[in-house]
Amino acid sequence: MSGILRLAAVHSSRTAFKPSFGIRSAGIHRHASQLQTIKPSRSRITSLSSRILSGQPPRTVLPAVNLIQQRTYHDDGAYGYRVPKVFSMPDYTPEELANRVENANLLRLVIGYRTHGHLNANLDPLGIVQRETVLALSAERYALTDPSKVYNLSGILHVNQSKSNTEAKDEANLKTIIGHLEKSYCGNIAYEFMHIPNASERRWFAHQVESYQKPPITPDDKKRIFELLTKSEVFDHFMGKKFAQVKRYGLEGAESMMVALDALFQTASKAGVTEVVMGMPHRGRLNLLTDLLQYSPTALFSKIKGNSEFPAGTPATGDVLSHIASSPKLDYGEAEPIHVSLLHNPSHLEAVNPVAMGKARAKQMDLIANSSPDCQLGDKVMCVQLHGDAAFTGQGVVMESLGLSNLPHFSSGGSVHIVVNNQIGYTTPAQNARSSVYSSDVGKMINAPVIHVNGDHPEDVVHAMRIAFEYRNKFRKDVILDLIAYRRWGHNELDEPAFTQPLMYNNIRARKSVPKLYEEKLLAEDVLSKAAIDEFRQEHFEMLEDHFAEIEGFKPEADHLKDKWKGMVLPIETVSKIDTGVDMEKMRRIGQASVATPSDFVIHSRLEKFHVQSRLSKLKEGQKIDWATAEAIAFGSLLMEGYDVRICGQDVGRGTFSQRHAMLVDQKTERVHVPLNAMSDTQGHLEVANSSLSELAVLGFETGMSYETPKMLNIWEAQFGDFFNSAQVTIDTYVTSAETKWLRQSGLVMLLPHGYDGAGPEHSSCRIERWLQMTSDTFDVTNDSIKSNTNMHIVNPTTPAQYFHLLRRQMKRNFRKPLIVVGPKTLLRLPTAVSSLDDMASGTTFEPVLGDSRTEQNPSAVEKVLLVSGKLYYDLVKERESKGVDEKVAIVRVEELSPFPKEGLQQQIKMYSEAKEFTWIQEEPQNGGAYTFMEPRIRQLLPKSKSLGYIGRDPSAAPATGIAVVHRKESADILAKAFRL
C-alpha cells in the first residue's frame, strides 16, 4: 500500500478532527476559494516507510498533515443563517490508541463488519437476492484463527457485559467477538455509516449498534404492532371487495411501513417534537390516511364514489385519491400531541420532497422566533419523506433536495427518509433501474447513514426506526431507513405483474402476508389468542362497513384558511388595483437605511460610489429611482409593517446583474451586513438566501415555505428567466394549480429576467407564452357575468414604481396568488427606465395598462396604436422620436398580461377609436411572447371594422438567435415596421 493510501486508510478509520465541529458551529462551511487548513487534533499516523528505510524500528509519530480544507462562510451573522447544534463523541484515549495498534488485525475485522456487514445481512423477505461470500468478514483473512483467544477490546469494539448490562467488557474471546459482530451487523437490520467523513458520527453509530440493548417490546407494544399491521391488511381487503376496479396502490407486502411511522411519531413525540411535515407518494397512502392519520373512511369512500372532497359550491377541481392530504394531531401520551401534516402530492414522484422541506423550515423558523432562546433547528419540527425505491434512485429532484439538506438557509434540522422498497419499479427490476447496489445509495452524496431492515420483521423495524431517529436527533442531519419489502400486486391492483416478473410473483403468491406471519409469532408467544385476532379483524371490517353505509349522508368540511391563514379569503374576483403607496418621507428613510452600514464596516469602494452614494443622491432628489432602489423600499416598507421577506435563488444577495446588493460584505473580514434588518427593533426580517445551483428543488422549497407563511413575501429569482423550466414539474403541479386542486393559496413571487438583447436562445426568454397558457384566464372577455379569478398574475412591468407596487400588493390583499414577474435585465440601468418617489407615494397604485402621455392630449391625430409589453417600449419611444411621428403613433403598455386588463385596454381603444391600425408588437417570435394570448382577447374589444396586426419576430423553434448580426437585423426590422404608416 502506498504511503498516501495508508495515510487515508488510517485516518478514515480512527481519527477525529475536533476543530471541524467547533468551527462548523461557529459558521464555517466549505467554499471554492480562499481555503484555510484545519489541522487535525491528536492525529497519530504510523509512518513505516521512512523508519524502515533508515533502519529504525517503526513507531507512532505526529506528522503535520493537511487533511481538511474549509473556508469561512461569510454570511453566518445574517438573518436566517441557521446550522444545527453540534454533538461530538470523545476521541480515543492514548491507551485505546495503543491497543488499536497492538490488536490491529482484530480492528481490521471489526472495521470489515462495520463497513461490509450489510452485504451478509438477512434483508430480503423474498430471499431472491443472491448473496455472495463477503471476504472482508472472514477472520482468517486477518490471521485470526483461534476462537478461544482472548483480546483486549479497548478502543476497538463494544461488547455488552450481559443482556441486561450494557457496560462494555474489557476483553472477550474471538468466538464471542464474531458472534457479537454477526448479531450486530448481519441480522434483520444492517447499517451503512462508515462512509460518513465525520469521525464523531461514525463512532456514535458504531457504539449505538454494538452496545444497543434493544428496548423490550412489551406485550402492549406487540399488540399495537399487530393492530397497525392488521388494520392495514383489513383495509386493503375491504377496498378490494367494495371497490374492485379502483386503483388504490395498497400497502400489501409493505405493511411494516405503518409500524415504522408509528414508532417514529412516538419516539419523536417523546423527544419533544411537536410538528411533523410529511411528503409521500401513492403507495400505501390510503392505508396511512385512514389507519393512522385519522382521515375519515367515509370521506374516502365518498370520494371513491365520485363525490367532491370539498363542500358544495367550493371553487375547486379536486384531485385523485392518491393525492389526498390530512393534518391530524396524534396523542402519544406526552405533554403536547404531535401534529402531522401529510402534504398533497402530485403524481410526479418525489416532487413533494422539497415542498415538505420548505414547509418544515418555515414552521421551524416561526417556532424559533417565538420560543425560548435555546430552541434549535429540529427541536420541535421534523421533516419526514417517504420514497419508492425506483423513484428515490431515479428522480433528479431527490439529488437536488438532498443537496439542500445541510445548507444554512434551507436546513430544518434533518429529514428522516423512509424508502418503502418494493424491489421493483412498476415492471422494472433493480438491475435496470439503478447503477448502485442499493436504491438508498443516492443519500451518500450527503453522507447520510443508511439503516436497512427486513420488512417481514416488524419488531426489528421498530428498533431500526428508533436508531434512525436518535441519529437525526443527535446530529440534526438526514438519515435513511431502507424498508425492504415487496408489492403483493402489480403497480396497481388491476395490473398483472407476472407478465414481466413470473418467478418473483410465484414467490410472493406462495407467501403468507406480513400481518399473518406476525400473528403466528404472537400466537406462539401467547400474546394473543386466535379468537382475539379474529375478533379484531372482524371489528375493524365492520367499522369500515359502518363508514361505508354513511356515504349518502356525508358532507365534507372545508380544511383551508385555518390557523395562520385565518383572515384570508377565497377570492371570487381577482383584484389588481389597491392603494399600495407609502409616505414620501418614510420611503426616504427606508431607502437611506437600505445602504447604511456600521461604523467599522469596510464597503467596497465601487459600491460606496455607485451604489450607496448614488442611491442617497436619488433619494434626496426624489427622482431617477432605479429598480433596485424601488425594490429595497418595497421590502423595507413591508418589513416596517411587520411582514417578513425572503428572497432566494442563485446569487440573489448581490443580484445576477450586480444590481441589488441587499447584503454587503466587509472587504476586510467578509462578514455580511443586511442593512434592511437594522431599521427597527420591531420590524420584520429580510432573509437573503443565496441558493445552490438548483431550480427544481429550490423552487419547490420556496413553494413549501409560501404555504406556511402568508405573512412572508416569498420570492424566488431565476438567474435568467430561461432557467425556470428546470423547475417545470413544481410549476405545473404546485405553483399554477395548487389552489385549484387543493385550495392551497400561495403568495410566491417568481422573478424571471427576460429580454432580447443578443444573449442567445437560453439567455433571452422566460417563455411568456407558456406562463400565459398556464393561466385560467377567461377567453370570453366581453361577457361581464364572468368574473375573472385567475390562478396567478403574469406581469411585465416597465418602471421601478410598477414593480414596487406589485411587491407590496402581494401582501396587502386578503388573499394570496402567485406573481410571475417578467423581470428586467437592461432596464435595471437604463437611464429612462426610472421612477420618482411621487409615483410610489400614498394614494398611488399599480396600473395594469399605461397610456401614452405624448398622444393623450390629441388622440384624434393618432393613426396607429402600438400595444406593447416590456422593455421594447423604450426602444419604440426612442425610434418614434427619431422618426418625428410622436403625434401619429401611440404606444400603450400592457403591464399586466393576466388577469387580462380588460378595463384599461377598453379605455385606450376607446380613446384612439379613430386610429387606422391597432398592432401588437413584441420582441419575441410570433409563436412566443404574449401575442397568441392577447390577440383573441384584444380582438373582442376592437371595433368590428378593425383587426389586430402583428409585428415581431417570425415563428421559431428556438426562442432567439445566437448570431449577433441576425439579432441586430431582426431588431431593426421590428422598429422599422412599427413606424411604417
Side-chain angles (χ1 to χ4, degrees):
M1 182 185 290
S2 72
I4 293 176
L5 291 177
R6 180 181 299 278
L7 188 70
V10 172
H11 271 268
S12 67
S13 66
R14 77 178 191 189
T15 307
F17 304 118
K18 284 186 179 176
S20 68
F21 300 116
I23 292 170
R24 168 75 175 183
S25 64
I28 286 195
H29 201 70
R30 295 178 190 175
H31 204 276
S33 61
Q34 297 185 8
L35 297 163
Q36 71 177 42
T37 300
I38 309 301
K39 294 183 178 180
S41 73
R42 297 174 61 188
S43 300
R44 290 168 172 81
I45 300 175
T46 304
S47 179
L48 296 175
S49 55
S50 62
R51 297 188 63 80
I52 290 172
L53 289 172
S54 63
Q56 302 178 56
R59 64 177 176 82
T60 303
V61 295
L62 296 173
V65 183
N66 296 337
L67 292 175
I68 298 179
Q69 293 182 314
Q70 295 183 322
R71 176 194 186 280
T72 304
Y73 196 83
H74 55 241
D75 69 336
D76 59 352
Y79 175 78
Y81 183 101
R82 305 288 303 199
V83 293
K85 64 181 182 181
V86 173
F87 175 85
S88 60
M89 294 283 286
D91 196 3
Y92 300 109
T93 65
E95 294 75 20
E96 289 172 334
L97 288 169
N99 186 54
R100 287 164 68 89
V101 172
E102 182 177 345
N103 290 299
N105 282 355
L106 178 62
L107 175 62
R108 291 171 66 199
L109 176 64
V110 171
I111 291 173
Y113 270 92
R114 291 172 180 168
T115 307
H116 305 293
H118 59 91
L119 297 173
N120 204 42
N122 177 37
L123 298 178
D124 178 17
L126 300 179
I128 58 177
V129 176
Q130 295 182 356
R131 291 184 291 175
E132 299 179 357
T133 301
V134 184
L135 296 177
L137 307 184
S138 172
E140 290 80 4
R141 192 174 183 83
Y142 310 105
L144 303 172
T145 57
D146 184 356
S148 62
K149 183 176 179 179
V150 175
Y151 292 88
N152 184 340
L153 302 178
S154 176
I156 295 176
L157 179 67
H158 185 112
V159 178
N160 292 342
Q161 291 280 357
S162 65
K163 288 185 177 180
S164 59
N165 185 354
T166 59
E167 290 295 320
K169 284 185 176 182
D170 292 329
E171 56 185 27
N173 62 36
L174 182 60
K175 181 179 179 181
T176 300
I177 290 170
I178 292 175
H180 182 64
L181 290 170
E182 284 285 330
K183 182 180 178 182
S184 297
Y185 292 104
C186 301
N188 298 324
I189 309 175
Y191 308 89
E192 292 186 89
F193 60 88
M194 291 298 284
H195 59 278
I196 301 175
N198 185 314
S200 192
E201 291 179 40
R202 293 198 307 273
R203 285 200 302 279
W204 178 89
F205 227 109
H207 179 79
Q208 190 78 356
V209 173
E210 293 158 15
S211 69
Y212 187 54
Q213 186 66 43
K214 295 178 180 177
I217 303 292
T218 67
D220 285 342
D221 293 334
K222 294 181 179 183
K223 290 175 183 177
R224 173 68 173 172
I225 293 172
F226 157 75
E227 290 175 0
L228 289 166
L229 295 174
T230 303
K231 282 182 177 180
S232 182
E233 185 172 61
V234 170
F235 174 81
D236 276 323
H237 290 175
F238 183 88
M239 292 286 286
K241 177 182 177 182
K242 297 292 186 180
F243 306 104
Q245 299 303 309
V246 170
K247 298 176 182 179
R248 65 181 184 274
Y249 306 104
L251 198 55
E252 291 173 275
E255 290 93 344
S256 288
M257 182 194 86
M258 304 292 293
V259 177
L261 286 170
D262 187 59
L264 177 60
F265 297 157
Q266 183 182 44
T267 309
S269 182
K270 188 175 181 179
V273 174
T274 58
E275 294 279 351
V276 171
V277 180
M278 281 186 66
M280 75 173 293
H282 51 284
R283 179 73 56 207
R285 191 180 184 96
L286 304 187
N287 305 65
L288 178 62
L289 282 166
T290 56
D291 295 344
L292 191 57
L293 297 189
Q294 303 176 358
Y295 192 81
S296 165
T298 306
L300 182 68
F301 300 152
S302 175
K303 175 67 177 174
I304 296 173
K305 285 285 190 179
N307 299 314
S308 174
E309 61 267 44
F310 301 113
T314 304
T317 61
D319 204 348
V320 297
L321 280 175
S322 53
H323 300 170
I324 290 173
S326 184
S327 187
K329 290 186 176 180
L330 306 181
D331 188 355
Y332 284 97
E334 303 301 328
E336 283 188 69
I338 189 167
H339 178 212
V340 180
S341 300
L342 175 62
L343 304 187
H344 294 280
N345 66 295
S347 294
H348 295 68
L349 296 172
E350 309 292 338
V352 70
N353 300 354
V355 180
M357 293 169 66
K359 187 174 175 70
R361 165 79 180 197
K363 279 182 176 290
Q364 184 65 77
M365 292 298 288
D366 184 61
L367 285 171
I368 287 174
N370 295 289
S371 299
S372 60
D374 60 348
C375 183
Q376 298 287 324
L377 280 177
D379 280 358
K380 296 292 184 180
V381 181
M382 177 173 65
C383 182
V384 178
Q385 299 174 44
L386 274 71
H387 316 274
D389 50 311
F392 195 56
T393 194
Q395 292 294 321
V397 67
V398 173
M399 182 278 292
E400 290 191 33
S401 300
L402 289 171
L404 301 179
S405 60
N406 295 323
L407 300 184
H409 288 280
F410 295 87
S411 173
S412 61
S415 293
V416 175
H417 302 265
I418 301 176
V419 179
V420 182
N421 192 336
N422 296 315
Q423 306 189 66
I424 191 170
Y426 211 121
T427 66
T428 304
Q431 66 264 31
N432 293 336
R434 62 177 183 264
S435 298
S436 58
V437 176
Y438 298 109
S439 59
S440 54
D441 284 346
V442 65
K444 292 177 183 176
M445 67 167 277
I446 59 165
N447 306 308
V450 181
I451 304 175
H452 307 278
V453 62
N454 188 323
D456 260 10
H457 299 270
E459 292 179 15
D460 286 311
V461 171
V462 172
H463 294 310
M465 193 76 263
R466 287 172 177 170
I467 293 178
F469 176 77
E470 284 300 322
Y471 172 85
R472 180 265 176 196
N473 214 35
K474 276 281 188 293
F475 297 100
R476 302 299 164 91
K477 295 181 180 180
D478 288 30
V479 63
I480 301 170
L481 181 80
D482 182 19
L483 178 62
I484 302 175
Y486 59 90
R487 191 185 66 198
R488 182 161 289 278
W489 307 105
H491 177 66
N492 60 70
E493 290 72 20
L494 309 183
D495 195 23
E496 176 49 75
F499 289 160
T500 51
Q501 276 79 35
L503 297 182
M504 183 182 197
Y505 274 86
N506 285 342
N507 182 319
I508 291 173
R509 286 163 179 166
R511 294 180 58 79
K512 293 181 180 178
S513 69
V514 177
K516 289 291 186 183
L517 289 172
Y518 194 64
E519 286 176 11
E520 291 179 359
K521 182 177 185 296
L522 298 190
L523 285 170
E525 295 175 357
D526 289 328
V527 175
L528 287 174
S529 66
K530 182 70 165 61
I533 290 171
D534 292 342
E535 181 182 3
F536 184 84
R537 282 181 169 272
Q538 185 61 30
E539 285 180 354
H540 193 62
F541 194 91
E542 290 174 356
M543 183 274 290
L544 294 172
E545 283 279 16
D546 292 341
H547 279 283
F548 184 80
E550 296 173 357
I551 295 175
E552 294 303 322
F554 176 74
K555 295 185 182 300
E557 296 180 359
D559 68 344
H560 58 286
L561 301 181
K562 295 181 178 180
D563 301 322
K564 294 179 182 177
W565 289 85
K566 282 183 179 178
M568 295 290 169
V569 301
L570 276 177
I572 299 173
E573 187 172 12
T574 301
V575 178
S576 288
K577 295 179 66 170
I578 60 172
D579 183 358
T580 45
V582 176
D583 175 77
M584 291 269 285
E585 286 309 310
K586 185 176 181 180
M587 283 194 287
R588 279 197 173 89
R589 290 195 300 271
I590 292 170
Q592 292 163 358
S594 72
V595 289
T597 56
S599 58
D600 61 343
F601 192 90
V602 181
I603 193 171
H604 194 285
S605 58
R606 286 168 59 189
L607 288 181
E608 174 65 27
K609 179 178 180 180
F610 297 109
H611 179 68
V612 176
Q613 294 304 323
S614 173
R615 179 170 295 182
L616 293 175
S617 174
K618 293 171 184 177
L619 289 167
K620 183 177 180 180
E621 297 173 5
Q623 301 294 324
K624 298 181 180 179
I625 303 299
D626 57 47
W627 292 78
T629 302
E631 179 187 76
I633 296 173
F635 287 176
S637 63
L638 290 172
L639 295 174
M640 293 300 289
E641 292 168 21
Y643 297 99
D644 292 324
V645 179
R646 174 179 161 107
I647 183 166
C648 172
Q650 298 148 26
D651 317 299
V652 294
R654 189 203 73 165
T656 297
F657 309 100
S658 196
Q659 84 284 4
R660 180 172 291 120
H661 300 289
M663 50 174 273
L664 301 171
V665 180
D666 190 295
Q667 295 301 294
K668 290 189 175 181
T669 65
E670 279 204 347
R671 66 175 167 134
V672 160
H673 177 62
V674 179
L676 285 176
N677 280 334
M679 295 186 295
S680 164
D681 293 336
T682 59
Q683 68 171 83
H685 293 99
L686 168 62
E687 182 172 8
V688 181
N690 292 308
S691 77
S692 65
L693 196 64
S694 157
E695 285 81 34
L696 179 53
V698 173
L699 181 63
F701 190 97
E702 297 307 309
T703 301
M705 290 201 79
S706 72
Y707 293 151
E708 181 65 22
T709 53
K711 292 188 177 181
M712 175 187 284
L713 179 64
N714 273 99
I715 302 173
W716 177 77
E717 182 176 60
Q719 194 177 66
F720 282 83
D722 313 64
F723 304 151
F724 83 90
N725 52 16
S726 293
Q728 194 68 56
V729 170
T730 297
I731 292 164
D732 288 347
T733 59
Y734 284 100
V735 176
T736 65
S737 59
E739 183 180 11
T740 302
K741 293 186 295 188
W742 309 318
L743 298 180
R744 292 299 183 263
Q745 293 188 18
S746 166
L748 179 70
V749 178
M750 294 179 64
L751 303 181
L752 308 177
H754 171 99
Y756 282 62
D757 47 25
E762 276 82 52
H763 285 78
S764 297
S765 174
C766 72
R767 297 190 181 263
I768 297 170
E769 66 280 2
R770 290 190 185 174
W771 288 102
L772 292 171
Q773 183 192 34
M774 289 186 286
T775 69
S776 58
D777 222 336
T778 179
F779 278 87
D780 187 357
V781 300
T782 59
N783 188 342
D784 292 333
S785 65
I786 300 176
K787 300 297 183 183
S788 176
N789 181 27
T790 55
N791 55 329
M792 57 184 172
H793 290 260
I794 315 295
V795 298
N796 194 357
T798 56
T799 72
Q802 289 279 78
Y803 177 49
F804 165 89
H805 288 299
L806 286 167
L807 293 176
R808 287 187 48 80
R809 187 181 73 177
Q810 280 297 95
M811 293 289 100
K812 303 304 288 184
R813 298 181 298 192
N814 62 349
F815 61 88
R816 297 289 178 261
K817 295 277 185 181
L819 173 65
I820 314 304
V821 181
V822 181
K825 293 191 297 181
T826 57
L827 295 193
L828 292 170
R829 291 184 174 83
L830 188 68
T832 52
V834 292
S835 299
S836 68
L837 289 181
D838 290 331
D839 298 328
M840 302 181 284
S842 299
T844 58
T845 183
F846 171 75
E847 295 291 345
V849 176
L850 292 176
D852 190 338
S853 58
R854 291 284 186 93
T855 57
E856 285 176 352
Q857 299 303 316
N858 187 19
S860 60
V862 171
E863 299 179 16
K864 189 174 188 177
V865 178
L866 297 176
L867 301 169
V868 66
S869 186
K871 81 172 186 68
L872 180 59
Y873 163 77
Y874 291 98
D875 296 327
L876 292 172
V877 169
K878 184 178 179 180
E879 185 72 8
R880 182 175 64 177
E881 289 178 354
S882 70
K883 297 287 186 182
V885 290
D886 288 19
E887 295 184 358
K888 295 183 178 180
V889 180
I891 305 172
V892 176
R893 284 172 278 176
V894 181
E895 301 279 288
E896 186 164 54
L897 299 165
S898 181
F900 180 72
K902 173 186 171 182
E903 292 183 4
L905 285 171
Q906 278 183 321
Q907 292 173 3
Q908 295 297 317
I909 291 170
K910 183 179 180 181
M911 180 183 299
Y912 301 112
S913 58
E914 297 180 27
K916 298 176 182 178
E917 297 180 62
F918 288 85
T919 299
W920 180 265
I921 185 168
Q922 64 181 35
E923 296 180 295
E924 299 82 6
Q926 191 169 10
N927 59 324
Y931 173 68
T932 55
F933 178 87
M934 299 300 289
E935 192 279 333
R937 292 170 172 83
I938 294 176
R939 191 194 325 135
Q940 297 174 51
L941 304 181
L942 293 174
K944 290 184 179 180
S945 60
K946 303 288 172 61
S947 62
L948 184 67
Y950 167 78
I951 298 175
R953 285 174 167 83
D954 293 334
S956 173
T961 180
I963 304 169
V965 173
V966 174
H967 168 76
R968 288 193 291 269
K969 183 179 184 305
E970 289 175 342
S971 299
D973 287 346
I974 290 172
L975 295 177
K977 291 176 183 177
F979 299 101
R980 192 174 295 159
L981 300 175

